[in-house]
Amino acid sequence: MRPLRTRGVTSSRENMVYTVDCLRDDFDTVMEYLINVTTAPEFRPWEVSDLTPRVKRDNAQAKQSAQIDLLEALHEAAYKNALSNSLYCPNHMVGNITSEHLHQFVQNNFTSARMALVGLGVDHEVLTQVGEQFLNIRSGAGTMGAAAQYRGGEVRVPGLGALVHSAVVSESAAAGSGEALAFSVLQHILGAGLHVKRGSCTSSKLVQGVTKATADPFDVSAFNASYSDSGLFGVYTISQSAAAADVIKAALAEVKAVADGDVTRLTSLGPRPS
């Protein structure tokens, strides 16, 4: 078989995605490997133990990133279960995860009712045939997880850097709902981040509002995350420690202005009526 062009696994708080990219003629063979990896993984004990240094490295790199540290703390504060779980292995479990743990996780979660097979550049009938042939190996609903419960709260992570990263959010809406679409529109109205490399994003309502509050360098954007049964919406700011309070207050004032129905602010990006 010719070598795969790309392959990999990515994960989020709710999903794990296995991807392969190959020539169309190699589809059948590649799919057999993909199905085996997702439905009947081996998890050899020596391979699992060999990953311990990598897990430690991933945790260390995450701790060096203020953005990752903030997002982990944000979800820990916002939820009391489910979505509060970190994407990174707890320190007390590093080196203590066994093959049995992984097999049990797959048994409970990698079932046909909780999996989807998606293909690009392949006939739908062919993809359906492969799915029906292989995914029946792990039929069933699997263990149903508890719905995320939003609680709110505050977490402060001490640091020695000169910059303060902060996120002030509230619960929004679950993905796929009409409310989630409204929050997505609101995110772009307020300012979803830079659209031009090294640009200043002066058209952002949040940037315009915070500029009036401080002359120090800063960054601000609307934060929006949607999950299957919950969501978070708010503002994410980066600023000098001395100006942090002013930056956060100014950003929240812009959100409040939109919530209060400030039509002038909402239409100021468009042309003047004739």
Side-chain angles (χ1 to χ4, degrees):
M1 189 191 80
R2 290 178 288 268
L4 301 178
R5 292 167 59 188
T6 61
R7 59 191 181 277
V9 183
T10 58
S11 61
S12 67
R13 279 186 159 75
E14 291 192 308
N15 300 297
M16 183 172 292
V17 181
Y18 294 75
T19 58
V20 292
D21 183 3
C22 67
L23 298 176
R24 191 174 285 109
D25 292 342
D26 298 327
F27 175 76
D28 291 340
T29 305
V30 169
M31 284 305 303
E32 183 176 352
Y33 286 126
L34 178 62
I35 296 299
N36 285 338
V37 168
T38 55
T39 61
E42 295 186 11
F43 300 128
R44 299 181 180 94
W46 58 90
E47 292 179 338
V48 175
S49 61
D50 286 347
L51 288 174
T52 298
R54 180 171 180 175
V55 173
K56 292 181 178 179
R57 184 172 66 251
D58 288 345
N59 283 1
Q61 290 176 342
K63 280 298 181 183
Q64 294 299 316
S65 171
Q67 290 88 350
I68 293 176
D69 216 11
L70 182 141
L71 290 176
E72 293 300 310
L74 175 64
H75 285 81
E76 179 185 349
Y79 296 100
K80 64 183 300 183
N81 67 337
L83 292 173
S84 67
N85 296 326
S86 176
L87 290 174
Y88 296 88
C89 183
N91 290 331
H92 70 278
M93 287 301 296
V94 174
N96 293 316
I97 296 178
T98 66
S99 297
E100 288 72 23
H101 290 136
L102 298 177
H103 279 298
Q104 184 178 8
F105 179 83
V106 170
Q107 184 72 27
N108 293 336
N109 295 279
F110 285 40
T111 60
S112 57
R114 305 186 67 175
M115 299 173 70
L117 180 62
V118 180
L120 298 176
V122 58
D123 290 340
H124 178 69
E125 293 181 359
V126 175
L127 193 67
T128 301
Q129 182 179 3
V130 172
E132 291 176 347
Q133 178 181 357
F134 290 106
L135 292 185
N136 286 333
I137 297 174
R138 298 199 51 79
S139 60
T143 302
M144 299 304 296
Q149 298 181 31
Y150 179 83
R151 63 176 177 181
E154 180 179 358
V155 171
R156 299 194 180 197
V157 181
L160 300 176
L163 297 178
V164 173
H165 293 248
S166 71
V168 181
V169 305
S170 62
E171 186 176 25
S172 55
S177 64
E179 291 81 2
L181 296 177
F183 277 109
S184 179
V185 173
L186 177 58
Q187 178 188 17
H188 286 82
I189 290 174
L190 291 169
L194 296 176
H195 298 286
V196 179
K197 187 177 181 179
R198 299 187 181 90
S200 59
C201 203
T202 56
S203 62
S204 163
K205 304 307 298 178
L206 290 172
V207 170
Q208 293 176 8
V210 176
T211 299
K212 300 174 184 178
T214 180
D216 293 336
F218 68 87
D219 189 21
V220 60
S221 61
F223 179 86
N224 185 32
S226 293
Y227 302 103
S228 60
D229 50 16
S230 183
L232 297 174
F233 186 88
V235 294
Y236 182 5
T237 68
I238 305 175
S239 61
Q240 302 290 330
S241 58
D246 293 334
V247 169
I248 296 171
K249 289 178 181 178
L252 293 178
E254 291 298 315
V255 178
K256 185 177 185 301
V258 174
D260 290 342
D262 190 330
V263 179
T264 301
R265 292 174 182 264
L266 288 175
T267 59
S268 62
L269 295 179
R272 286 189 178 184
S274 58

